[in-house]
Amino acid sequence: MNKKILMTPGPTNVPERVLKAMAYPVMHHRTDEYSALFGEFSERLKYVFQTRNDVMTFPAAGTGGLEAAVINLFSPGEKIIAVSIGVFGDRFASIAQQFGVDVEKIDIPWGSGADIDAIRKAVRDEHTSILVTHNETSTGAYNDIREIGKLAKEKGLLFVVDAVSSLGGLELKMDEWGVDVVISASQKALMSPPGLTFISLGEKAWDRAAMSTIPKYYWDIKKARDYMKKEKPQNPYTPAVSLIAATNESLKMIQEEGIENVIERHSNLAEKFRIEVEKMGLRLFVQNGYRSDVVTSIDVGDGAARLKREMEELHGIVISGGQGDLKGRIVRIGHMGCVDEKMIDMTVNAMQDCMNRMQGA
Amino acid sequence: MNKKILMTPGPTNVPERVLKAMAYPVMHHRTDEYSALFGEFSERLKYVFQTRNDVMTFPAAGTGGLEAAVINLFSPGEKIIAVSIGVFGDRFASIAQQFGVDVEKIDIPWGSGADIDAIRKAVRDEHTSILVTHNETSTGAYNDIREIGKLAKEKGLLFVVDAVSSLGGLELKMDEWGVDVVISASQKALMSPPGLTFISLGEKAWDRAAMSTIPKYYWDIKKARDYMKKEKPQNPYTPAVSLIAATNESLKMIQEEGIENVIERHSNLAEKFRIEVEKMGLRLFVQNGYRSDVVTSIDVGDGAARLKREMEELHGIVISGGQGDLKGRIVRIGHMGCVDEKMIDMTVNAMQDCMNRMQGA
């Protein structure tokens, strides 16, 4: 097994404290001890989601959380808008389509965030909702959730945000910004191992959920909320206890640092990294104004595969290549979760070394 | 956090080796290193499933695995048989009904396994499939999968077995016994933390899956198989890497001991435990012939809640109470996975102590 540094857009490096919390003997999920842990954990999630709403947890990948949102909120034939700025925007739209939702998809050219006017033009009275990816890890661009939230409110749309890779890294104020539904996962900026997904619904979203006719069992959020609201909080089905113990520890770390400080750290490190990348003479793939503070994509042309390989083999730093049409053309470097200046410096130095070798070759 | 002994019907005690494997730094799931781990892990699963078929893994609770089976195999309106001998049999039937499958449910009185003639009588030509729970943790009874398998073959029924709490504890030979679909999970006899579910399909089941019309995305087993069949095995969505590393270690332990020896150990320990329970003058809840070798339920009348509480408080041994109609009436003691004679002795001694106190009170 490796001790490599993950500078990928998730899974991210998991702090020792979190790994240790995970390795404690498994507790049974129908005990007072577990209820105490799960109750504490769910409160911490609310802090990071910046919401007073309940946050439900499922053992699943983030894609499961997106599916849970679609299945609980919509009905077959319902007309919604899905904004896509990359692979994960496409995925969210595909999930909705797969369950019979009538999706009007707005495709923004990759490497940019959504233009608010493009969305405004697409919205019609028949649309009930809008799906938006906050941070698009496939391109390194992000969407302005606050601005889109204003439009959603103006148009009376239910606003559903995929924050799988942004929560705890980019600013996201669910209640203040009027986001109706937020979905996230454990393995990105939340610094925990993969395997948990989270979903939170505001009041308006719960009203919509009451009308949804898509069949559901495992993803039934009402049942999940009912179990969470018991005097001793529980889950309908066996929870991933060890992952909850792990994530409870990482959420505690975020609380200790303070969510505002965590966001500011991400912003500062991202800015530092971008400056260094441009100093190396490399081109940032995303246009200015839409560059995400949790992942930076760099257009390295034909060198992408080699750069990715040599970063790992020569420097023990795992970075990611492009997805979809960007395969072989860009590299993507994550700076989310457990990241500090030293790690950014190491990454920059390693990249410089690899670039020198490639130019020398 | 506790260091209590879990003598519950899952989650079960996780060996130190497994906890250590889980606590290694998280590897990225799109690396060669992960592909090697996942490939090895999937082969080990086949050994424990006693099958040559692929076994697909999803980050989810076992209930998710049951949902995956229903969603991938059936279509709305399809007529199937579901045999229920307790809470989990009811659950499997409910999941199928929830997705529009036309379920003929055979309800066997709790505390017994299914009577083969009762099933035979219920089967009609219109039925395509039969769902059966192997080990029913809610009652401590089990179903004779080999016998039901013969009937399923004779009647041309697709045979789907919920082996969540039996696999690695009760004998189950998927290929030899003609089981078409087996579902299991990590936290029972497989001695790992909860959060992974497994599903394996035989050839006939894959043919049925090709005809299924229930919408699916996260649970799409064809996509999961396609990713597993790549030159470097992967998963469509982020896998729960740490749990896979953990379960890979526990599967290795099962291989080291040998699956036949593991099954024999369970059988011997269960028999020993039942003899001791009856020596104490207590009544086994399940009728002879249907007693499971992974969980024993004991009818202790009004004393169930107190016995459960004092076992934990005075002896640090977590056992379970009854579910549904059996709440407050029985206790359930799991002896699955990482169990040895010493643990059985400790449990018996603790129970004897608690019973003495209760009779003295």
Side-chain angles (χ1 to χ4, degrees), chain B residues 3 14 31 49 58 80 88 99 115 128 139 146-148 158 165 172 193 229 251 267 272 292 308 341 348 355:
Chain B
K3 288 248 179 191
V14 175
T31 55
F49 273 71
F58 291 91
I80 69 168
F88 290 92
F99 291 96
D115 173 43
T128 66
T139 67
R146 184 184 236 157
E147 279 306 303
I148 302 174
L158 190 82
S165 60
L172 178 60
K229 289 292 194 190
L251 294 171
S267 161
K272 177 184 161 85
S292 161
K308 175 179 164 4
E341 226 165 305
V348 168
M355 292 308 294

Side-chain angles (χ1 to χ4, degrees), chain A residues 2 33 61 67 98 216 218, chain B residues 2 33 61 67 98 216 218:
Chain A
N2 70 345
E33 201 174 4
E67 175 162 313
Q98 191 63 19
K216 61 212 62 139
Y218 185 73
Chain B
N2 70 346
E33 201 175 4
E67 176 161 314
Q98 191 63 17
K216 61 212 63 141
Y218 185 73

